Amino acid sequence: MREKVSAWARAVGPVRMAFICSLMLSAVAVWNSPVLNRDGMFYVEWAQSIIDHGSAGVRQHPGWPFLAFQPALIAVASSATRLGPETSAYAINALFLAGACSLLVAITRRRLPEAAWAAVLVVLAMPAYNEYRNQVLREYGFWFFGLLAFWLAMRWDESHRWREALACQAAICCAALFRREALAIIPALMLWQTLAAPAGSRLRRVLMLGCLPLAGAAMAGALFASGLVPMPDSMRSFFEAANPLRQLQVIGDAAGRMSEFVFKHKYSREEAGYVLFFGLLTIIPVKFLKMTGVFVVPLAFAFAGQPLRAVLARWQPLPWVFFAHVLVLVAFITHQFFLVGRYVALLNLLAVPVIAAGLAALMQRFPRWRGLMLTLALLTLLANVLSFSPKSTQIIDAGKWLAANRVAASRVYVENPRVAYYAGLGYAATGRNRLERDALASAVAENRFDMLVLDVHARDAGIDEWLAANHLQMIQRFANKGGNAVIVAVPVAIQNSPPTTERHRAKTGSTE
């Protein structure tokens, strides 16, 4: 039996195996997490608007134009396959991530064939991006096309043909449609050839890898400078984040405010800027190592006993892009003062070939520990897609009930936009109209709502008192196994009126 499985695996090959297993893991992750993530709701709702209204639906959302490609792609896929927008979104993301995993295995096999199967295990178990398999995100397209560009750049480095060079630049442009920071790949590749190409052909090779983006940037700059096309606010913010002088000013202002409340002594206040700046920078390596998980050990082993330059030279141009993305993260975190884990995940993706090389060398060096290494990797793989914590099914249940028992949309307040999504009331619109509890109490006193749908945490013991103080009565409660709940409440005056009482009684009879 073992020999048959090994023969089948060899026949399939590591690249196709990574693709197939990635699709299976995505299916398991989606099945295990029935509630769509917040970003996914925004994109799916936008895609439905495009399906319903065509090109007009693209422009009616605040994310236009830089966030529009993901929902437009979902809308096209949904129309072509006759699947729902949510199902199409999951399918697109699963295919993109499976393609990214296959490309990483192919890159590893091209430079170090003996580490190809180790790359399959690493790429499927790395927590950094695998833990997002149950979510609909723009990052999947960014990762896939970015890695495709690296694969094409490696092939171009062997042939130096225009076909691979233009295809590489086209892949980067596709990646930029999902996330603009993909444009940082272009200067990274150009810098790579500036230092690696022979002196006589250096300029030609640099231009081969950057001619299309440079021409596009020159054309856009001319249009913006002439005033024929106004620069979008989001692009203006993008350039501000890339301006080091502007970043130093932001850091200085924030450090001044921080020193007033945090540092007691005059001498420590003088160092507030350094503390803030370097404190923010440490978030990047901490998140990178945390999301590497158990693969920190093979990552370290890959560099053991050999010069750093020799290790990095094998995987060119990945180290250059790694460094470029670190600079992008530095600009982002010093501009926004936060960093989400999935923004760092590209660093972990770029580290997969090096980690795979380290894991292969580790298993060869310590064959007795091979079983333990495989077990830890497989446990990490399963932990990424399986969760035994209580599911947020109360959100779906409350949304379905609200859809079937709806009052006028302007007279119902939904605290959690995810409930509004499943009720068909609109995720984006509900999120913009959210009120704090004090403001909500004032709105209830002004008789602005006939129904309130509220999120209640398991540890929120004061909700009954808050309802009573504002003359509200709970008519429905949807809870998950962890005690988190969504409750539906109405003003007591409405509950006690005969027509409304009969109406609510009829709505709740089949639910609880």
Side-chain angles (χ1 to χ4, degrees), residues 303-374:
F303 293 94
Q306 51 185 327
L308 176 64
R309 178 175 295 183
V311 176
L312 299 181
R314 172 181 288 165
W315 305 108
Q316 297 294 340
L318 298 187
W320 286 105
V321 181
F322 187 99
F323 176 71
H325 194 63
V326 168
L327 294 181
V328 170
L329 295 177
V330 169
F332 181 88
I333 198 170
T334 53
H335 183 66
Q336 299 289 352
F337 288 82
F338 78 94
L339 192 63
V340 180
R342 67 176 185 269
Y343 298 166
V344 187
L346 180 62
L347 300 182
N348 297 86
L349 281 163
L350 296 173
V352 164
V354 179
I355 295 174
L359 181 62
L362 201 60
M363 289 192 292
Q364 184 178 5
R365 176 67 177 81
F366 303 100
R368 293 184 179 181
W369 295 95
R370 185 177 302 175
L372 178 61
M373 297 178 202
L374 293 176

Side-chain angles (χ1 to χ4, degrees), residues 14-15 104-106 108-110 112-122 356-357 360:
V15 176
L104 281 170
V105 175
T108 306
R109 186 177 64 176
R110 194 174 190 87
L112 191 65
E114 60 268 25
W117 283 105
V120 174
L121 185 60
V122 173

